[in-house]
Amino acid sequence: MAQGRSVNVTLAEPIARIVIGVVGTVGGLVVIAGGASLGSGVLAVLLIAAVLDLVVTGATGHCPLYQRLGHVPGSLKGGTS
């Protein structure tokens, strides 16, 4: 089962996921802290949940969606095509 959690994102992708995740989290928190209406508050919470997924997948280097779709970036494939 250890192979199920192998790294399946390219080297630059975790950095981008973490940066976007942090920016999105801060943006959602700013909306909530600004006295958001119920609708925008719910959307801000959903935004935070989505971008926290980006942070986790960036930190672990493993994307469950990529695994489920069978996607392997070219730079991670063994050998050349």
Side-chain angles (χ1 to χ4, degrees):
M1 220 27 147
Q3 189 178 12
R5 301 297 260 154
S6 62
V7 172
N8 64 354
V9 295
T10 62
L11 183 60
E13 201 170 341
I15 296 167
R17 288 175 182 247
I18 291 170
V19 168
I20 292 169
V22 169
V23 169
T25 301
V26 169
L29 291 173
V30 166
V31 169
I32 291 172
S37 67
L38 179 62
S40 61
V42 169
L43 290 176
V45 169
L46 291 174
L47 171 68
I48 292 169
V51 296
L52 285 178
D53 178 64
L54 286 175
V55 172
V56 170
T57 58
T60 62
H62 178 80
C63 179
L65 181 60
Y66 278 5
Q67 180 182 6
R68 195 145 180 113
L69 295 174
H71 174 71
V72 179
S75 62
L76 297 179
K77 291 181 183 177
T80 58
S81 299

